[in-house]
Each structure stands twice: as structure tokens, then as C-alpha cells.
Amino acid sequence: VIFNVDDGLMNDDSSHNKHLPKALTNSPCSIASTSGPAFPPFNEQVKERAGWLIGLLFLQSCSSFIIQYNQTFLQNHMVIVQFLTMLVGAGGNAGNQASVRVIRSLAVGTLNRHTMDQFLRQEAKMALCLSALIGTTGFIRAALFRTPPGETIAITTSVFAIVAVSVAIGSTLPLGMKKVGIDPANSSTSIQVIMDIL
């Protein structure tokens, strides 16, 4: 009797399947058909990344106490200066987080020419989502410190714009570096400097 292995694998109802070795039943075709998406669900990514950024945002705000200590010298622009390090820190944290994800995806091979469009669309949505979350957090922080309404609006708008731009740059900078032959790992340190300049 001649037994065709391919026929046995394709026919799930065949009684012969349960007698086949495990290595045969775990064929590349069957593994590919049951594998999940290339990237984790969007909601899980938002929860993970926003949690870290909000925590770093409040941690970065500690520098405002140092500025308050020099309020005599900075009293003309005290309100905005108190939030300057928070704004810079939010941009650097968001951009560095995005660049690290790109570097890791490039390293493990999940980010390639076939998944590039999907990844960039996801990062565009992530930029807007994180901007809204971090911007809201910045608004709450300003309100807790009883910042005047005008300055509060300016700070909230700045945080929203900075985070959005940071994620956009952090997502594309490693790809641009790889395109021109530069190690994408350098983008994680470059993004902080770029956002300081901007």
C-alpha cells in the first residue's frame, strides 16, 4: 500500500493523521496558516507605551522644582520655563520609544518591505493617540499647578504637537538611516538631540 504524506496532511478527517509524526503534522504550511498578526494588537501597544510615557512625564516634571528655586532670575517667564523640561522630555521619550521599536522590528525581521505600509499606518495612528493621551496629561499637570488659562492652552497644544512630531521622526529616522547606510541603532540617541533643537 502506498501512502501519500501530502494527502494525509491535507485531510484533517483522515484516521492516518493521528499516527503521523508530530514533525510532519507541523508543516510550514500549517504553521503559517495559524500564525497571528505580525504586530501585537493596537490597544495593547497603546496601554504599554502610554503607561511608560505618562510615568516618565511626571518624573521629568521634578526638574520644575529646580527652576522654582531660581524664580527671582526667571520671574518674567516663570510659568512657561517651569514646563520647558517637561516638554523637551516628552518629545525625547516619545521619539526614542518609537525609534527603539523600529530598530527591534528591523532586527527580528518583522519590519520589511512587505509590512512597511502596515507599520507606518500603525505608527501614524499611534502618534495621534499618544499625543492626545500625553497632551491630556500635560493639561492635568498644568491645572494642578494652577497655571493661567492662556499658558495652560499653550502648554497642552505644545505637548500634543511635540509628541506627534517625535513619534513621526522616531518611526522614520531609523528607516532613513538604514536607507543611506547608517546603523539604525544610532537613531535612539539622535532623536533626543533632534527634539531638543526643535
Side-chain angles (χ1 to χ4, degrees):
V1 178
I2 299 177
F3 179 77
N4 191 323
V5 174
D6 292 333
D7 292 340
L9 291 176
M10 297 300 294
N11 187 0
D12 294 335
D13 297 331
S14 174
S15 60
H16 298 286
N17 283 1
K18 62 182 179 181
H19 301 297
L20 290 175
K22 186 176 181 180
L24 291 178
T25 57
N26 290 335
S27 64
C29 294
S30 62
I31 294 174
S33 62
T34 58
S35 61
F39 308 107
F42 181 77
N43 292 338
E44 291 184 11
Q45 292 193 53
V46 171
K47 181 179 179 181
E48 176 188 354
R49 296 171 66 173
W52 277 102
L53 289 176
I54 291 174
L56 290 171
L57 182 68
F58 280 109
L59 184 63
Q60 189 73 33
S61 299
C62 294
S63 59
S64 63
F65 296 108
I66 300 175
I67 298 176
Q68 287 180 349
Y69 182 78
N70 299 283
Q71 59 182 347
T72 302
F73 176 77
L74 302 171
Q75 60 184 352
N76 292 333
H77 306 284
M78 175 60 66
V79 176
I80 299 298
V81 172
Q82 287 178 357
F83 292 89
L84 182 60
T85 54
M86 185 192 76
L87 297 173
V88 174
N93 293 333
N96 188 59
Q97 187 185 69
S99 67
V100 168
R101 292 187 66 85
V102 174
I103 295 169
R104 184 175 62 183
S105 298
L106 289 172
V108 301
T110 56
L111 179 56
N112 49 57
R113 61 189 182 90
H114 300 293
T115 60
M116 184 70 67
D117 291 341
Q118 176 191 355
F119 183 84
L120 292 178
R121 286 195 300 267
Q122 188 177 74
E123 285 301 303
K125 292 191 297 182
M126 186 66 68
L128 295 177
C129 186
L130 292 178
S131 296
L133 290 172
I134 308 304
T136 301
T137 305
F139 174 83
I140 294 173
R141 197 272 198 197
L144 290 176
F145 278 71
R146 298 181 180 180
T147 306
E151 283 80 355
T152 299
I153 295 174
I155 292 169
T156 304
T157 305
S158 298
V159 172
F160 183 92
I162 288 172
V163 173
V165 173
S166 298
V167 175
I169 295 177
S171 301
T172 56
L173 183 61
L175 300 176
M177 286 184 168
K178 182 182 179 182
K179 189 75 172 178
V180 298
I182 302 176
D183 186 358
N186 294 319
S187 63
S188 61
T189 55
S190 301
I191 187 66
Q192 181 69 58
V193 177
I194 293 175
M195 292 313 302
D196 288 346
I197 296 174
L198 294 179

